[in-house]
Coordinates of all heavy atoms in Angstrom, one line a residue:
E186 N 6.1 7.7 19.6 CA 5.8 8.6 18.5 C 6.3 10.0 18.8 O 6.7 10.8 17.9 CB 4.3 8.7 18.2 CG 3.7 7.5 17.6 CD 2.2 7.6 17.4 OE1 1.6 8.7 17.7 OE2 1.5 6.6 16.9
E187 N 6.5 10.3 20.1 CA 7.0 11.7 20.5 C 8.4 11.9 20.1 O 8.9 13.0 20.0 CB 6.8 11.9 22.0 CG 5.3 11.8 22.5 CD 4.8 10.4 22.6 OE1 5.7 9.5 22.5 OE2 3.6 10.2 22.8
G188 N 9.1 10.8 19.9 CA 10.6 10.8 19.6 C 10.9 11.1 18.2 O 12.1 11.1 17.8
V189 N 9.9 11.2 17.3 CA 10.2 11.4 15.9 C 9.5 12.6 15.4 O 8.5 13.1 16.0 CB 9.8 10.2 15.0 CG1 10.5 8.9 15.4 CG2 8.3 10.0 15.1
T190 N 10.0 13.2 14.4 CA 9.4 14.5 13.8 C 8.2 14.1 13.1 O 7.9 13.0 12.7 CB 10.4 15.2 12.9 OG1 10.7 14.3 11.8 CG2 11.8 15.5 13.6
R191 N 7.4 15.2 12.8 CA 6.2 15.0 12.0 C 6.5 14.5 10.6 O 5.8 13.6 10.1 CB 5.4 16.3 11.9 CG 4.1 16.3 11.1 CD 3.4 17.6 11.1 NE 2.1 17.6 10.5 CZ 1.9 17.6 9.2 NH1 2.9 17.8 8.4 NH2 0.7 17.6 8.7
E192 N 7.6 15.0 10.0 CA 7.9 14.5 8.7 C 8.3 13.0 8.7 O 7.8 12.3 7.8 CB 9.1 15.3 8.2 CG 8.8 16.8 7.8 CD 8.6 17.6 9.1 OE1 9.1 17.2 10.2 OE2 8.0 18.7 9.0
D193 N 9.0 12.6 9.7 CA 9.4 11.2 9.8 C 8.1 10.3 10.0 O 8.0 9.2 9.5 CB 10.4 10.9 10.9 CG 11.8 11.3 10.4 OD1 12.0 11.6 9.2 OD2 12.7 11.3 11.2
F194 N 7.2 10.8 10.9 CA 6.0 10.1 11.1 C 5.2 9.9 9.9 O 4.6 8.8 9.6 CB 5.2 10.8 12.2 CG 4.0 10.0 12.6 CD1 4.1 8.9 13.4 CD2 2.7 10.4 12.2 CE1 2.9 8.2 13.8 CE2 1.6 9.8 12.6 CZ 1.7 8.6 13.4
I195 N 5.1 10.9 9.1 CA 4.4 10.8 7.8 C 5.0 9.8 6.9 O 4.3 9.0 6.2 CB 4.3 12.2 7.1 CG1 3.4 13.2 7.9 CG2 3.9 12.1 5.6 CD1 3.4 14.6 7.4
I196 N 6.4 9.8 6.8 CA 7.0 8.8 6.0 C 6.7 7.3 6.5 O 6.4 6.4 5.7 CB 8.6 9.0 6.1 CG1 9.0 10.3 5.3 CG2 9.3 7.8 5.5 CD1 10.4 10.7 5.5
S197 N 6.7 7.1 7.8 CA 6.3 5.8 8.3 C 4.9 5.4 8.0 O 4.6 4.3 7.6 CB 6.5 5.7 9.8 OG 5.5 6.4 10.5
Q198 N 4.0 6.4 8.0 CA 2.6 6.1 7.6 C 2.5 5.8 6.1 O 1.7 4.9 5.7 CB 1.7 7.4 8.0 CG 1.5 7.6 9.5 CD 0.7 6.4 10.1 OE1 -0.3 6.1 9.7 NE2 1.3 5.8 11.2
K199 N 3.2 6.5 5.3 CA 3.2 6.2 3.9 C 3.7 4.8 3.6 O 3.2 4.1 2.7 CB 4.0 7.3 3.1 CG 3.4 8.7 3.1 CD 4.3 9.7 2.4 CE 3.6 11.0 2.3 NZ 4.5 12.0 1.6
A200 N 4.8 4.5 4.2 CA 5.4 3.1 4.0 C 4.4 2.1 4.5 O 4.3 1.0 3.8 CB 6.7 3.0 4.8
Q201 N 3.7 2.3 5.6 CA 2.7 1.3 6.0 C 1.6 1.2 5.1 O 1.1 0.1 4.8 CB 2.2 1.7 7.4 CG 1.2 0.7 8.0 CD 0.9 1.1 9.5 OE1 1.6 1.7 10.2 NE2 -0.4 0.8 9.8
L202 N 1.1 2.3 4.5 CA 0.0 2.3 3.5 C 0.5 1.5 2.3 O -0.3 0.7 1.8 CB -0.3 3.8 3.2 CG -1.5 3.9 2.1 CD1 -2.3 5.1 2.5 CD2 -0.9 4.1 0.7
L203 N 1.7 1.8 1.8 CA 2.2 1.1 0.6 C 2.2 -0.4 0.9 O 1.9 -1.3 0.0 CB 3.6 1.6 0.3 CG 4.3 0.8 -0.9 CD1 3.6 1.0 -2.2 CD2 5.8 1.4 -1.0
D204 N 2.7 -0.8 2.1 CA 2.8 -2.2 2.5 C 1.4 -2.9 2.5 O 1.1 -3.9 1.9 CB 3.4 -2.3 3.8 CG 3.8 -3.8 4.2 OD1 3.3 -4.7 3.5 OD2 4.6 -4.0 5.1
M205 N 0.4 -2.2 3.1 CA -0.9 -2.8 3.3 C -1.7 -2.8 2.1 O -2.5 -3.8 1.8 CB -1.6 -2.1 4.4 CG -1.0 -2.2 5.8 SD -2.0 -1.5 7.1 CE -3.2 -2.8 7.3
V206 N -1.5 -1.8 1.2 CA -2.4 -1.7 0.0 C -1.8 -2.5 -1.2 O -2.5 -3.2 -1.9 CB -2.6 -0.3 -0.3 CG1 -3.3 -0.1 -1.7 CG2 -3.4 0.4 0.8
Y207 N -0.5 -2.3 -1.4 CA 0.2 -2.8 -2.6 C 0.8 -4.2 -2.4 O 0.7 -5.1 -3.2 CB 1.2 -1.8 -3.2 CG 1.5 -2.1 -4.6 CD1 0.7 -1.4 -5.6 CD2 2.5 -2.9 -5.1 CE1 0.9 -1.6 -7.0 CE2 2.7 -3.1 -6.4 CZ 1.9 -2.4 -7.4 OH 2.1 -2.7 -8.7
L208 N 1.5 -4.4 -1.3 CA 2.3 -5.6 -1.1 C 1.4 -6.7 -0.6 O 1.6 -7.9 -0.9 CB 3.4 -5.4 -0.1 CG 4.4 -4.3 -0.4 CD1 5.6 -4.4 0.6 CD2 4.9 -4.5 -1.8
Q209 N 0.3 -6.4 0.1 CA -0.6 -7.5 0.6 C -1.7 -7.7 -0.4 O -2.1 -6.8 -1.1 CB -1.2 -7.0 1.9 CG -0.2 -6.9 3.0 CD -0.8 -6.5 4.4 OE1 -1.8 -7.0 4.8 NE2 -0.2 -5.5 5.0
Q210 N -2.1 -9.0 -0.5 CA -3.0 -9.4 -1.5 C -3.9 -10.5 -1.0 O -3.3 -11.5 -0.4 CB -2.3 -9.8 -2.8 CG -3.1 -9.8 -4.1 CD -2.3 -9.9 -5.3 OE1 -1.1 -9.4 -5.3 NE2 -2.8 -10.4 -6.4
D211 N -5.2 -10.4 -1.1 CA -6.1 -11.4 -0.5 C -6.3 -12.6 -1.5 O -6.9 -12.5 -2.5 CB -7.4 -10.7 -0.3 CG -8.3 -11.6 0.6 OD1 -8.1 -12.8 0.7 OD2 -9.3 -11.0 1.2
A212 N -5.7 -13.8 -1.0 CA -5.8 -15.0 -1.9 C -7.2 -15.6 -1.9 O -7.5 -16.4 -2.7 CB -4.8 -16.0 -1.3
F213 N -8.1 -15.1 -1.0 CA -9.4 -15.7 -1.0 C -10.5 -14.7 -1.5 O -11.7 -15.0 -1.3 CB -9.7 -16.1 0.5 CG -8.8 -17.2 1.0 CD1 -7.7 -16.8 1.8 CD2 -8.9 -18.5 0.6 CE1 -6.8 -17.8 2.2 CE2 -8.0 -19.5 1.0 CZ -6.9 -19.1 1.8
D214 N -10.1 -13.6 -2.1 CA -11.0 -12.7 -2.7 C -11.0 -12.9 -4.2 O -9.9 -13.0 -4.8 CB -10.6 -11.3 -2.4 CG -11.6 -10.3 -3.0 OD1 -12.7 -10.1 -2.4 OD2 -11.3 -9.7 -4.1
D215 N -12.1 -13.1 -4.8 CA -12.2 -13.4 -6.3 C -11.6 -12.3 -7.1 O -11.1 -12.6 -8.3 CB -13.7 -13.6 -6.7 CG -14.3 -14.8 -6.1 OD1 -13.5 -15.7 -5.6 OD2 -15.6 -14.9 -6.0
V216 N -11.5 -11.1 -6.7 CA -10.9 -10.0 -7.5 C -9.5 -9.8 -7.2 O -8.6 -9.8 -8.1 CB -11.7 -8.7 -7.3 CG1 -11.1 -7.5 -8.0 CG2 -13.2 -8.8 -7.8
D217 N -9.2 -9.7 -5.9 CA -7.8 -9.3 -5.5 C -6.8 -10.5 -5.6 O -5.6 -10.3 -5.6 CB -7.8 -8.9 -4.0 CG -6.6 -8.0 -3.7 OD1 -6.1 -7.3 -4.5 OD2 -6.1 -8.2 -2.5
V218 N -7.3 -11.7 -5.8 CA -6.4 -12.9 -5.9 C -5.5 -12.8 -7.1 O -4.4 -13.3 -7.1 CB -7.2 -14.2 -5.9 CG1 -8.1 -14.3 -7.2 CG2 -6.3 -15.4 -5.8
S219 N -6.0 -12.2 -8.2 CA -5.2 -12.1 -9.4 C -5.3 -10.7 -10.0 O -6.4 -10.3 -10.4 CB -5.7 -13.2 -10.4 OG -5.0 -13.1 -11.6
V220 N -4.2 -10.0 -10.2 CA -4.2 -8.6 -10.6 C -3.3 -8.6 -11.9 O -2.1 -8.7 -11.8 CB -3.6 -7.7 -9.6 CG1 -3.7 -6.2 -10.1 CG2 -4.4 -7.8 -8.3
P221 N -3.9 -8.3 -13.1 CA -3.1 -8.2 -14.3 C -2.2 -7.0 -14.3 O -2.4 -6.1 -13.5 CB -4.2 -8.1 -15.4 CG -5.4 -7.6 -14.7 CD -5.4 -8.2 -13.3
M222 N -1.2 -7.0 -15.1 CA -0.2 -6.0 -15.1 C -0.8 -4.6 -15.4 O -0.3 -3.6 -14.8 CB 0.9 -6.3 -16.1 CG 2.2 -5.7 -15.8 SD 3.0 -6.3 -14.3 CE 3.9 -4.8 -13.8
E223 N -1.8 -4.5 -16.2 CA -2.4 -3.2 -16.5 C -2.9 -2.6 -15.2 O -2.8 -1.4 -15.0 CB -3.5 -3.4 -17.5 CG -4.1 -2.1 -18.0 CD -5.3 -2.3 -18.9 OE1 -5.6 -3.5 -19.2 OE2 -5.8 -1.3 -19.4
R224 N -3.6 -3.4 -14.4 CA -4.2 -2.9 -13.2 C -3.1 -2.6 -12.2 O -3.2 -1.6 -11.4 CB -5.2 -3.9 -12.6 CG -5.8 -3.4 -11.3 CD -7.1 -4.1 -11.0 NE -7.7 -3.6 -9.7 CZ -8.9 -3.9 -9.3 NH1 -9.6 -4.8 -9.9 NH2 -9.3 -3.4 -8.1
Q225 N -2.0 -3.4 -12.1 CA -0.9 -3.1 -11.3 C -0.3 -1.7 -11.6 O 0.1 -1.0 -10.7 CB 0.2 -4.2 -11.4 CG -0.3 -5.5 -10.8 CD 0.9 -6.6 -10.9 OE1 2.0 -6.2 -10.6 NE2 0.5 -7.8 -11.2
Q226 N -0.1 -1.4 -12.9 CA 0.4 -0.1 -13.3 C -0.5 1.0 -12.8 O 0.1 2.0 -12.3 CB 0.5 -0.1 -14.8 CG 1.6 -0.8 -15.4 CD 1.6 -0.7 -16.9 OE1 1.0 -1.4 -17.7 NE2 2.3 0.3 -17.4
A227 N -1.8 0.9 -13.0 CA -2.7 1.9 -12.5 C -2.6 2.1 -11.0 O -2.6 3.3 -10.5 CB -4.1 1.6 -13.0
L228 N -2.6 1.0 -10.3 CA -2.5 1.2 -8.8 C -1.2 1.7 -8.4 O -1.1 2.6 -7.4 CB -2.7 -0.2 -8.2 CG -2.7 -0.2 -6.6 CD1 -3.8 0.7 -6.1 CD2 -2.8 -1.7 -6.1
L229 N -0.1 1.4 -9.1 CA 1.2 1.9 -8.7 C 1.2 3.4 -8.9 O 1.8 4.2 -8.1 CB 2.3 1.3 -9.5 CG 3.7 1.6 -9.1 CD1 4.1 0.8 -7.8 CD2 4.8 1.2 -10.2
S230 N 0.7 3.9 -10.0 CA 0.6 5.3 -10.3 C -0.2 6.0 -9.2 O 0.1 7.1 -8.8 CB 0.0 5.6 -11.7 OG 0.8 5.0 -12.7
L231 N -1.3 5.4 -8.8 CA -2.2 6.0 -7.8 C -1.4 6.0 -6.4 O -1.5 7.0 -5.7 CB -3.4 5.2 -7.6 CG -4.5 5.6 -6.6 CD1 -4.9 7.1 -6.9 CD2 -5.7 4.7 -6.5

């Protein structure tokens, strides 16, 4: 981590958050297993 700037570190954290929150989806959760497009739009804006 010492070899990158604070700005680059923030970018890596944002990319990891996007990956874990938006790209991953729990197939065994009754809610997260299926997300209609309206909710996808709202989450994308968030």
Side-chain angles (χ1 to χ4, degrees):
E186 292 181 0
E187 300 79 10
V189 297
T190 64
R191 180 179 186 274
E192 290 73 18
D193 281 351
F194 184 73
I195 289 174
I196 290 173
S197 75
Q198 291 294 306
K199 289 178 176 178
Q201 183 175 328
L202 180 143
L203 175 63
D204 191 345
M205 297 189 71
V206 173
Y207 202 89
L208 301 190
Q209 294 177 48
Q210 201 164 334
D211 193 338
F213 299 98
D214 182 80
D215 292 339
V216 175
D217 199 37
V218 66
S219 175
V220 183
M222 202 66 212
E223 182 184 5
R224 182 164 181 172
Q225 291 185 40
Q226 284 181 271
L228 181 59
L229 191 77
S230 298
L231 181 59

